Amino acid sequence: MNVAIVIFDGLAALDAVGPNEVLSNTPGVDVTFVAQEARPHRTDNGALALVADQTLDEVPNPDVLLIPGGVGTRRLLHNEALLEWVRAADATTTWTTSVCTGALVLGAAGLLEGKRATTAFSELETLKQFGATPVEERYVHDGKILTSAGVSAGIDMALYLAALLVGEELAKAVQLGIEYDPQPPFDCGSPAKAGPELTERVRVAIARQVAAAA
Amino acid sequence: MNVAIVIFDGLAALDAVGPNEVLSNTPGVDVTFVAQEARPHRTDNGALALVADQTLDEVPNPDVLLIPGGVGTRRLLHNEALLEWVRAADATTTWTTSVCTGALVLGAAGLLEGKRATTAFSELETLKQFGATPVEERYVHDGKILTSAGVSAGIDMALYLAALLVGEELAKAVQLGIEYDPQPPFDCGSPAKAGPELTERVRVAIARQVAAAA
């Protein structure tokens, strides 16, 4: 069972590395980081580069496709070579998945037409442009498409996916192995919990980051 | 305010990338990935390499030091050059921190003597060898030392640290920005929640990984 995590300049590191921590620790699952060029890719806020070991062309038929988000996704929406690879890969995947604004890439590839899907809270409405029905849930399963909310939601989605791939017992062992027993010091990780004022402030900050990266 | 995240071959990717996602999104905080050699470092299960941009010698005085865990930490416990750098950096840090078995490195450097500390559940007892008192908590704050439990616990610790660095309001904005509103599909992320049978199975699997990496 092979999982291709597609990376690109300007991705959000945790979007890719959260699911990788789950899936690369799942028995029988091989994870490969792929990109248009096999080289280090600088993540959105510059502190870190993740290495893509293989090019997209070298991994044409992953069982699972995962597209992370980050400000860099916006440049991918008009990258026809990448979108064509995504469409071709999806034709033979068991699961096609995204974290955060990775869903916009699935949408631009035409894969969310008529699907329920989710993404970063700040881009939920954008999903309608791709014919999808936005759903404000942690992760959404529609057919063979799994989409998750922003950034850290990829960890939850990946545990759910691990259970689909190898069963609940092994997925639970992975959860214990990575000690995923979340105890954040605050409880404001969604717009509903954070309230309108903080949410507006974060929404503005995100819009500024997206504009700066354009 | 600069944060040095020390990486090495065989680290657990999420140990470093979880805190990075929090701290590199915190206003006024600069994160640098450092290592004995400035090159990509392969993470524990091989799927991913993270790039260290600077050498330890280039970053002698970070305000915050963070040491992630992973099977690769065991090799660091006898790496005198690295331990000497950790001791020297700690002399001027505001906060000295670890995720998972990164605590063993702090211990080997002599920094946990007389401290309350935590680490991966499978290595809690080992902390006694370094004169520390093991505490089974998500993260532990003793003086300027912050230690966290395994792997994903680094995200919780980093949010707590962000609040110490820049205040609760900004830390809460970061939590919303990364949509850290955890909803794992299962509830077995600690030995207490997973129960003795699953815990023993995972403990054996971890011991096997550590032995294979030795």
PDB file of all heavy atoms in Angstrom, chain A residues 33-62:
ATOM      1  N   PHE A  33       7.352  11.058  -0.366  1.00  0.00           N
ATOM      2  CA  PHE A  33       7.138  12.484  -0.623  1.00  0.00           C
ATOM      3  C   PHE A  33       7.516  12.757  -2.074  1.00  0.00           C
ATOM      4  O   PHE A  33       8.647  12.502  -2.481  1.00  0.00           O
ATOM      5  CB  PHE A  33       7.983  13.334   0.342  1.00  0.00           C
ATOM      6  CG  PHE A  33       7.339  13.456   1.698  1.00  0.00           C
ATOM      7  CD1 PHE A  33       7.337  12.394   2.583  1.00  0.00           C
ATOM      8  CD2 PHE A  33       6.707  14.636   2.086  1.00  0.00           C
ATOM      9  CE1 PHE A  33       6.712  12.488   3.829  1.00  0.00           C
ATOM     10  CE2 PHE A  33       6.091  14.753   3.325  1.00  0.00           C
ATOM     11  CZ  PHE A  33       6.091  13.675   4.198  1.00  0.00           C
ATOM     12  N   VAL A  34       6.549  13.260  -2.837  1.00  0.00           N
ATOM     13  CA  VAL A  34       6.762  13.484  -4.268  1.00  0.00           C
ATOM     14  C   VAL A  34       6.487  14.947  -4.621  1.00  0.00           C
ATOM     15  O   VAL A  34       5.778  15.648  -3.905  1.00  0.00           O
ATOM     16  CB  VAL A  34       5.859  12.565  -5.131  1.00  0.00           C
ATOM     17  CG1 VAL A  34       6.124  11.105  -4.821  1.00  0.00           C
ATOM     18  CG2 VAL A  34       4.390  12.892  -4.934  1.00  0.00           C
ATOM     19  N   ALA A  35       7.068  15.386  -5.728  1.00  0.00           N
ATOM     20  CA  ALA A  35       6.863  16.767  -6.180  1.00  0.00           C
ATOM     21  C   ALA A  35       7.217  16.843  -7.653  1.00  0.00           C
ATOM     22  O   ALA A  35       7.727  15.883  -8.236  1.00  0.00           O
ATOM     23  CB  ALA A  35       7.745  17.723  -5.389  1.00  0.00           C
ATOM     24  N   GLN A  36       6.922  17.976  -8.262  1.00  0.00           N
ATOM     25  CA  GLN A  36       7.290  18.105  -9.676  1.00  0.00           C
ATOM     26  C   GLN A  36       8.795  17.974  -9.862  1.00  0.00           C
ATOM     27  O   GLN A  36       9.262  17.425 -10.845  1.00  0.00           O
ATOM     28  CB  GLN A  36       6.760  19.428 -10.234  1.00  0.00           C
ATOM     29  CG  GLN A  36       5.251  19.329 -10.517  1.00  0.00           C
ATOM     30  CD  GLN A  36       4.709  20.519 -11.276  1.00  0.00           C
ATOM     31  OE1 GLN A  36       4.750  21.631 -10.776  1.00  0.00           O
ATOM     32  NE2 GLN A  36       4.193  20.290 -12.470  1.00  0.00           N
ATOM     33  N   GLU A  37       9.556  18.473  -8.879  1.00  0.00           N
ATOM     34  CA  GLU A  37      11.010  18.281  -8.897  1.00  0.00           C
ATOM     35  C   GLU A  37      11.430  17.607  -7.595  1.00  0.00           C
ATOM     36  O   GLU A  37      10.964  17.981  -6.523  1.00  0.00           O
ATOM     37  CB  GLU A  37      11.730  19.630  -9.017  1.00  0.00           C
ATOM     38  CG  GLU A  37      11.451  20.328 -10.339  1.00  0.00           C
ATOM     39  CD  GLU A  37      12.023  21.748 -10.381  1.00  0.00           C
ATOM     40  OE1 GLU A  37      12.897  22.074  -9.548  1.00  0.00           O
ATOM     41  OE2 GLU A  37      11.565  22.519 -11.222  1.00  0.00           O
ATOM     42  N   ALA A  38      12.320  16.611  -7.698  1.00  0.00           N
ATOM     43  CA  ALA A  38      12.808  15.908  -6.505  1.00  0.00           C
ATOM     44  C   ALA A  38      13.908  16.745  -5.863  1.00  0.00           C
ATOM     45  O   ALA A  38      15.085  16.635  -6.223  1.00  0.00           O
ATOM     46  CB  ALA A  38      13.316  14.520  -6.878  1.00  0.00           C
ATOM     47  N   ARG A  39      13.505  17.604  -4.927  1.00  0.00           N
ATOM     48  CA  ARG A  39      14.440  18.520  -4.250  1.00  0.00           C
ATOM     49  C   ARG A  39      13.774  18.993  -2.955  1.00  0.00           C
ATOM     50  O   ARG A  39      12.589  18.750  -2.735  1.00  0.00           O
ATOM     51  CB  ARG A  39      14.758  19.713  -5.156  1.00  0.00           C
ATOM     52  CG  ARG A  39      13.510  20.497  -5.585  1.00  0.00           C
ATOM     53  CD  ARG A  39      13.841  21.860  -6.167  1.00  0.00           C
ATOM     54  NE  ARG A  39      12.665  22.533  -6.702  1.00  0.00           N
ATOM     55  CZ  ARG A  39      11.790  23.236  -5.991  1.00  0.00           C
ATOM     56  NH1 ARG A  39      11.928  23.338  -4.665  1.00  0.00           N
ATOM     57  NH2 ARG A  39      10.753  23.834  -6.573  1.00  0.00           N
ATOM     58  N   PRO A  40      14.533  19.686  -2.103  1.00  0.00           N
ATOM     59  CA  PRO A  40      13.901  20.266  -0.904  1.00  0.00           C
ATOM     60  C   PRO A  40      12.893  21.343  -1.297  1.00  0.00           C
ATOM     61  O   PRO A  40      13.117  22.090  -2.256  1.00  0.00           O
ATOM     62  CB  PRO A  40      15.080  20.893  -0.145  1.00  0.00           C
ATOM     63  CG  PRO A  40      16.298  20.202  -0.670  1.00  0.00           C
ATOM     64  CD  PRO A  40      15.996  19.896  -2.116  1.00  0.00           C
ATOM     65  N   HIS A  41      11.791  21.387  -0.580  1.00  0.00           N
ATOM     66  CA  HIS A  41      10.761  22.407  -0.801  1.00  0.00           C
ATOM     67  C   HIS A  41      10.575  23.214   0.470  1.00  0.00           C
ATOM     68  O   HIS A  41      10.299  22.649   1.544  1.00  0.00           O
ATOM     69  CB  HIS A  41       9.440  21.745  -1.228  1.00  0.00           C
ATOM     70  CG  HIS A  41       9.494  21.221  -2.622  1.00  0.00           C
ATOM     71  ND1 HIS A  41      10.201  20.085  -2.954  1.00  0.00           N
ATOM     72  CD2 HIS A  41       8.991  21.704  -3.792  1.00  0.00           C
ATOM     73  CE1 HIS A  41      10.107  19.885  -4.263  1.00  0.00           C
ATOM     74  NE2 HIS A  41       9.381  20.844  -4.793  1.00  0.00           N
ATOM     75  N   ARG A  42      10.716  24.513   0.337  1.00  0.00           N
ATOM     76  CA  ARG A  42      10.636  25.430   1.477  1.00  0.00           C
ATOM     77  C   ARG A  42       9.176  25.574   1.900  1.00  0.00           C
ATOM     78  O   ARG A  42       8.305  25.797   1.056  1.00  0.00           O
ATOM     79  CB  ARG A  42      11.236  26.760   1.018  1.00  0.00           C
ATOM     80  CG  ARG A  42      11.475  27.820   2.068  1.00  0.00           C
ATOM     81  CD  ARG A  42      12.427  27.462   3.192  1.00  0.00           C
ATOM     82  NE  ARG A  42      13.712  26.919   2.816  1.00  0.00           N
ATOM     83  CZ  ARG A  42      14.658  26.579   3.722  1.00  0.00           C
ATOM     84  NH1 ARG A  42      14.453  26.749   5.016  1.00  0.00           N
ATOM     85  NH2 ARG A  42      15.790  26.055   3.315  1.00  0.00           N
ATOM     86  N   THR A  43       8.917  25.419   3.192  1.00  0.00           N
ATOM     87  CA  THR A  43       7.532  25.519   3.671  1.00  0.00           C
ATOM     88  C   THR A  43       7.124  26.986   3.852  1.00  0.00           C
ATOM     89  O   THR A  43       7.951  27.881   3.718  1.00  0.00           O
ATOM     90  CB  THR A  43       7.342  24.710   4.967  1.00  0.00           C
ATOM     91  OG1 THR A  43       8.233  25.193   5.966  1.00  0.00           O
ATOM     92  CG2 THR A  43       7.635  23.240   4.716  1.00  0.00           C
ATOM     93  N   ASP A  44       5.831  27.189   4.143  1.00  0.00           N
ATOM     94  CA  ASP A  44       5.228  28.523   3.999  1.00  0.00           C
ATOM     95  C   ASP A  44       5.910  29.642   4.761  1.00  0.00           C
ATOM     96  O   ASP A  44       6.067  30.735   4.232  1.00  0.00           O
ATOM     97  CB  ASP A  44       3.726  28.476   4.333  1.00  0.00           C
ATOM     98  CG  ASP A  44       3.443  27.800   5.667  1.00  0.00           C
ATOM     99  OD1 ASP A  44       4.415  27.441   6.381  1.00  0.00           O
ATOM    100  OD2 ASP A  44       2.253  27.643   5.991  1.00  0.00           O
ATOM    101  N   ASN A  45       6.294  29.386   6.011  1.00  0.00           N
ATOM    102  CA  ASN A  45       6.890  30.517   6.719  1.00  0.00           C
ATOM    103  C   ASN A  45       8.410  30.482   6.764  1.00  0.00           C
ATOM    104  O   ASN A  45       9.035  31.204   7.531  1.00  0.00           O
ATOM    105  CB  ASN A  45       6.258  30.690   8.103  1.00  0.00           C
ATOM    106  CG  ASN A  45       6.115  29.350   8.761  1.00  0.00           C
ATOM    107  OD1 ASN A  45       6.992  28.510   8.631  1.00  0.00           O
ATOM    108  ND2 ASN A  45       5.009  29.143   9.447  1.00  0.00           N
ATOM    109  N   GLY A  46       8.981  29.651   5.915  1.00  0.00           N
ATOM    110  CA  GLY A  46      10.414  29.766   5.632  1.00  0.00           C
ATOM    111  C   GLY A  46      11.360  29.013   6.539  1.00  0.00           C
ATOM    112  O   GLY A  46      12.537  28.836   6.210  1.00  0.00           O
ATOM    113  N   ALA A  47      10.872  28.544   7.688  1.00  0.00           N
ATOM    114  CA  ALA A  47      11.796  27.973   8.667  1.00  0.00           C
ATOM    115  C   ALA A  47      12.324  26.595   8.282  1.00  0.00           C
ATOM    116  O   ALA A  47      13.349  26.162   8.799  1.00  0.00           O
ATOM    117  CB  ALA A  47      11.111  27.889  10.029  1.00  0.00           C
ATOM    118  N   LEU A  48      11.631  25.930   7.397  1.00  0.00           N
ATOM    119  CA  LEU A  48      11.922  24.502   7.194  1.00  0.00           C
ATOM    120  C   LEU A  48      11.768  24.113   5.726  1.00  0.00           C
ATOM    121  O   LEU A  48      10.869  24.605   5.043  1.00  0.00           O
ATOM    122  CB  LEU A  48      10.931  23.676   8.035  1.00  0.00           C
ATOM    123  CG  LEU A  48      10.948  22.158   7.866  1.00  0.00           C
ATOM    124  CD1 LEU A  48      12.296  21.557   8.270  1.00  0.00           C
ATOM    125  CD2 LEU A  48       9.820  21.518   8.668  1.00  0.00           C
ATOM    126  N   ALA A  49      12.631  23.212   5.273  1.00  0.00           N
ATOM    127  CA  ALA A  49      12.461  22.595   3.959  1.00  0.00           C
ATOM    128  C   ALA A  49      12.279  21.090   4.120  1.00  0.00           C
ATOM    129  O   ALA A  49      12.987  20.450   4.907  1.00  0.00           O
ATOM    130  CB  ALA A  49      13.656  22.888   3.070  1.00  0.00           C
ATOM    131  N   LEU A  50      11.296  20.547   3.391  1.00  0.00           N
ATOM    132  CA  LEU A  50      11.047  19.104   3.347  1.00  0.00           C
ATOM    133  C   LEU A  50      11.530  18.588   1.996  1.00  0.00           C
ATOM    134  O   LEU A  50      11.309  19.230   0.967  1.00  0.00           O
ATOM    135  CB  LEU A  50       9.547  18.801   3.453  1.00  0.00           C
ATOM    136  CG  LEU A  50       8.750  19.395   4.612  1.00  0.00           C
ATOM    137  CD1 LEU A  50       7.298  18.919   4.532  1.00  0.00           C
ATOM    138  CD2 LEU A  50       9.365  19.011   5.945  1.00  0.00           C
ATOM    139  N   VAL A  51      12.125  17.421   1.999  1.00  0.00           N
ATOM    140  CA  VAL A  51      12.683  16.872   0.762  1.00  0.00           C
ATOM    141  C   VAL A  51      11.663  15.985   0.046  1.00  0.00           C
ATOM    142  O   VAL A  51      11.092  15.077   0.653  1.00  0.00           O
ATOM    143  CB  VAL A  51      13.958  16.059   1.055  1.00  0.00           C
ATOM    144  CG1 VAL A  51      14.508  15.436  -0.227  1.00  0.00           C
ATOM    145  CG2 VAL A  51      15.009  16.933   1.738  1.00  0.00           C
ATOM    146  N   ALA A  52      11.453  16.255  -1.249  1.00  0.00           N
ATOM    147  CA  ALA A  52      10.710  15.312  -2.104  1.00  0.00           C
ATOM    148  C   ALA A  52      11.723  14.336  -2.682  1.00  0.00           C
ATOM    149  O   ALA A  52      12.664  14.752  -3.360  1.00  0.00           O
ATOM    150  CB  ALA A  52       9.989  16.054  -3.218  1.00  0.00           C
ATOM    151  N   ASP A  53      11.529  13.053  -2.418  1.00  0.00           N
ATOM    152  CA  ASP A  53      12.490  12.041  -2.879  1.00  0.00           C
ATOM    153  C   ASP A  53      12.259  11.640  -4.325  1.00  0.00           C
ATOM    154  O   ASP A  53      13.169  11.177  -4.997  1.00  0.00           O
ATOM    155  CB  ASP A  53      12.384  10.786  -2.005  1.00  0.00           C
ATOM    156  CG  ASP A  53      13.007  10.982  -0.630  1.00  0.00           C
ATOM    157  OD1 ASP A  53      13.984  11.753  -0.532  1.00  0.00           O
ATOM    158  OD2 ASP A  53      12.508  10.370   0.334  1.00  0.00           O
ATOM    159  N   GLN A  54      11.022  11.781  -4.801  1.00  0.00           N
ATOM    160  CA  GLN A  54      10.731  11.331  -6.165  1.00  0.00           C
ATOM    161  C   GLN A  54       9.894  12.376  -6.906  1.00  0.00           C
ATOM    162  O   GLN A  54       9.205  13.190  -6.293  1.00  0.00           O
ATOM    163  CB  GLN A  54       9.977   9.995  -6.129  1.00  0.00           C
ATOM    164  CG  GLN A  54      10.826   8.893  -5.487  1.00  0.00           C
ATOM    165  CD  GLN A  54      10.421   7.513  -5.969  1.00  0.00           C
ATOM    166  OE1 GLN A  54       9.632   6.838  -5.317  1.00  0.00           O
ATOM    167  NE2 GLN A  54      10.947   7.084  -7.097  1.00  0.00           N
ATOM    168  N   THR A  55       9.978  12.331  -8.221  1.00  0.00           N
ATOM    169  CA  THR A  55       9.151  13.227  -9.033  1.00  0.00           C
ATOM    170  C   THR A  55       7.761  12.599  -9.210  1.00  0.00           C
ATOM    171  O   THR A  55       7.572  11.386  -9.035  1.00  0.00           O
ATOM    172  CB  THR A  55       9.750  13.448 -10.431  1.00  0.00           C
ATOM    173  OG1 THR A  55       9.743  12.199 -11.126  1.00  0.00           O
ATOM    174  CG2 THR A  55      11.177  13.987 -10.346  1.00  0.00           C
ATOM    175  N   LEU A  56       6.817  13.430  -9.570  1.00  0.00           N
ATOM    176  CA  LEU A  56       5.463  12.947  -9.840  1.00  0.00           C
ATOM    177  C   LEU A  56       5.494  11.834 -10.883  1.00  0.00           C
ATOM    178  O   LEU A  56       4.811  10.809 -10.740  1.00  0.00           O
ATOM    179  CB  LEU A  56       4.600  14.108 -10.354  1.00  0.00           C
ATOM    180  CG  LEU A  56       4.368  15.272  -9.374  1.00  0.00           C
ATOM    181  CD1 LEU A  56       3.549  16.371 -10.064  1.00  0.00           C
ATOM    182  CD2 LEU A  56       3.660  14.816  -8.103  1.00  0.00           C
ATOM    183  N   ASP A  57       6.298  12.026 -11.921  1.00  0.00           N
ATOM    184  CA  ASP A  57       6.343  11.030 -13.005  1.00  0.00           C
ATOM    185  C   ASP A  57       6.823   9.667 -12.519  1.00  0.00           C
ATOM    186  O   ASP A  57       6.464   8.635 -13.094  1.00  0.00           O
ATOM    187  CB  ASP A  57       7.278  11.512 -14.128  1.00  0.00           C
ATOM    188  CG  ASP A  57       6.695  12.710 -14.849  1.00  0.00           C
ATOM    189  OD1 ASP A  57       5.468  12.950 -14.724  1.00  0.00           O
ATOM    190  OD2 ASP A  57       7.457  13.422 -15.525  1.00  0.00           O
ATOM    191  N   GLU A  58       7.640   9.683 -11.471  1.00  0.00           N
ATOM    192  CA  GLU A  58       8.160   8.408 -10.956  1.00  0.00           C
ATOM    193  C   GLU A  58       7.132   7.656 -10.110  1.00  0.00           C
ATOM    194  O   GLU A  58       7.334   6.486  -9.784  1.00  0.00           O
ATOM    195  CB  GLU A  58       9.428   8.647 -10.112  1.00  0.00           C
ATOM    196  CG  GLU A  58      10.614   9.095 -10.952  1.00  0.00           C
ATOM    197  CD  GLU A  58      11.824   9.501 -10.103  1.00  0.00           C
ATOM    198  OE1 GLU A  58      11.653  10.278  -9.142  1.00  0.00           O
ATOM    199  OE2 GLU A  58      12.933   9.035 -10.410  1.00  0.00           O
ATOM    200  N   VAL A  59       6.050   8.331  -9.734  1.00  0.00           N
ATOM    201  CA  VAL A  59       5.023   7.723  -8.866  1.00  0.00           C
ATOM    202  C   VAL A  59       3.643   7.949  -9.495  1.00  0.00           C
ATOM    203  O   VAL A  59       2.825   8.709  -8.996  1.00  0.00           O
ATOM    204  CB  VAL A  59       5.086   8.339  -7.443  1.00  0.00           C
ATOM    205  CG1 VAL A  59       4.115   7.643  -6.505  1.00  0.00           C
ATOM    206  CG2 VAL A  59       6.501   8.263  -6.875  1.00  0.00           C
ATOM    207  N   PRO A  60       3.379   7.273 -10.610  1.00  0.00           N
ATOM    208  CA  PRO A  60       2.138   7.566 -11.333  1.00  0.00           C
ATOM    209  C   PRO A  60       0.894   6.922 -10.706  1.00  0.00           C
ATOM    210  O   PRO A  60      -0.211   7.413 -10.921  1.00  0.00           O
ATOM    211  CB  PRO A  60       2.394   6.978 -12.718  1.00  0.00           C
ATOM    212  CG  PRO A  60       3.398   5.889 -12.500  1.00  0.00           C
ATOM    213  CD  PRO A  60       4.233   6.309 -11.329  1.00  0.00           C
ATOM    214  N   ASN A  61       1.061   5.858  -9.929  1.00  0.00           N
ATOM    215  CA  ASN A  61      -0.100   5.091  -9.464  1.00  0.00           C
ATOM    216  C   ASN A  61      -0.119   4.839  -7.965  1.00  0.00           C
ATOM    217  O   ASN A  61      -0.153   3.680  -7.518  1.00  0.00           O
ATOM    218  CB  ASN A  61      -0.144   3.719 -10.187  1.00  0.00           C
ATOM    219  CG  ASN A  61      -0.262   3.861 -11.689  1.00  0.00           C
ATOM    220  OD1 ASN A  61       0.626   3.443 -12.409  1.00  0.00           O
ATOM    221  ND2 ASN A  61      -1.338   4.481 -12.144  1.00  0.00           N
ATOM    222  N   PRO A  62      -0.112   5.883  -7.145  1.00  0.00           N
ATOM    223  CA  PRO A  62      -0.187   5.638  -5.704  1.00  0.00           C
ATOM    224  C   PRO A  62      -1.542   5.051  -5.332  1.00  0.00           C
ATOM    225  O   PRO A  62      -2.556   5.338  -5.970  1.00  0.00           O
ATOM    226  CB  PRO A  62      -0.016   7.027  -5.099  1.00  0.00           C
ATOM    227  CG  PRO A  62      -0.509   7.963  -6.161  1.00  0.00           C
ATOM    228  CD  PRO A  62      -0.136   7.317  -7.471  1.00  0.00           C
TER     229      PRO A  62
END
